[in-house]
Amino acid sequence: MYLCAILVTKFINIMIIGIPKEIMPGEARVSATPETVKKFVADGAKVLVEKDAGIGSFFSNEAYKEAGATIINSAKEVFEKSDLILKVKEPQFNNEFNAHEVDMMHEGQYLVTFLHPAAPANHDMIRSLAKKGVIGLTLEGVPRISRAQNMDGLTSMSTCAGYKGILMAANALPKFIPQMFTAVGMLPPSTVLVVGVGVGGLQALATAKRLGAVTHAVDIRPAAMEQATSLGAKVFDLGVPAELAIGEGGYAKYLPKEWLAKEREKLNEILPQMDIVFLSALVPGRVAPILITEDMVKRMKPGSVIIDISIDQGGNCEITPPGKTEVKHGVTICGIKNIPGMIPTSSTHMFAHNVYSFVKNMMKDGKVVIDRSDEIISSTLVTIQNEIVHAGTREAMNI
């Protein structure tokens, strides 16, 4: 009898982790690979993987089974049975069940994903999470500190977006990227401007350089400009004082309105010279600053291209179409939200390891512990105890 009691207690304490299939159109990534599932199982967790969740990233159901996962046919069942849900994208409306993924969740459940909670398009979803009693943690809030480097999904996905975004721009551009010497004469190389030289911007510069473009960069942080120069880019000084530009962890600060206006004035002078403009200016936990207005787009070259990878947080261009690519005023503007999902095997490998490290940091004796004195937890926690606690989200919602 005593032995049975011990076994039951041990069973009850097992953490059940759910991996649903992503349902955003075109999203091929998944939040765990067979490799990270094996690690979770070794740590004492039970892992439920929705059938075919990894197919888009070329990870088979059989591979997950071999790693120790249980394959579940229904997304609804994964949500119902799991203590912790791991996702790539924020909760979406599930057409199969005619219900939002938030509605499939339950009080006290943990959710780890990119929530992008400050973006206005996600505010209703965040309110629903709080009302439901879900403890939501958003990975783009992971602070830039040494012990969190292996949890930094934003950096990993920015690397993918910088690389793939430039390739998409090259496909959309109606001209050659490199300088071409032909029988009818020389064709000059295309010009590329990267706005926001973080990880994604640096990868964009490197990729554009490899393709033969003449590269340019702007950023309000001096250190970022030095890195851009090291990659061969011509940099434009926006003249923003360092104390206004540099925030905690080296991230950019959200500029006062008057300085944002000055930044737009400088960009307005540069944009007509560019064939490709890559936008990746983000402020952690905040809506992305609008750096290019519709009037500025009108001054750009016919046939030029804007790739706005900041769209998940609202976008850096005023008229970027969320989730789509459209031609406006003769300029192709890409607001695709899941560019890393276009190279799903590499991006899933990186993201899944980020998620595993993040969850591992929260686990104590086989359970999730929300230690709000931990900088990583406090920076990523969005909803808890039916409240929205994320500072940037509260500001965006005027709470």
Side-chain angles (χ1 to χ4, degrees), residues 87-126:
K87 279 179 55 58
V88 178
K89 301 301 292 185
E90 68 272 19
Q92 311 277 318
F93 188 84
N94 189 311
N95 291 315
E96 180 183 354
F97 296 100
N98 196 33
H100 201 283
E101 286 180 318
V102 173
D103 296 328
M104 300 184 195
M105 302 183 75
H106 53 79
E107 185 175 1
Q109 194 170 46
Y110 298 90
L111 170 65
V112 173
T113 184
F114 283 122
L115 285 170
H116 303 293
N122 291 332
H123 287 178
D124 286 342
M125 179 269 294
I126 296 298

Side-chain angles (χ1 to χ4, degrees), residues 197 217-230 235-237:
V197 191
V218 296
D219 197 295
I220 60 176
R221 298 163 297 170
M225 288 291 85
E226 288 179 14
Q227 290 176 311
T229 301
S230 72
V235 301
F236 296 100
D237 184 11

Side-chain angles (χ1 to χ4, degrees), residues 7 16 19 56 79 95 103 107 146 149 169 177 255-256 310-311 321 341 350 354-355:
L7 290 174
I16 301 176
I19 313 296
F79 280 100
N95 291 315
D103 296 328
E107 185 175 1
S146 58
Q149 285 182 346
I177 293 281
L255 293 178
S310 298
I311 191 61
M350 297 170 75
N354 295 144
V355 169

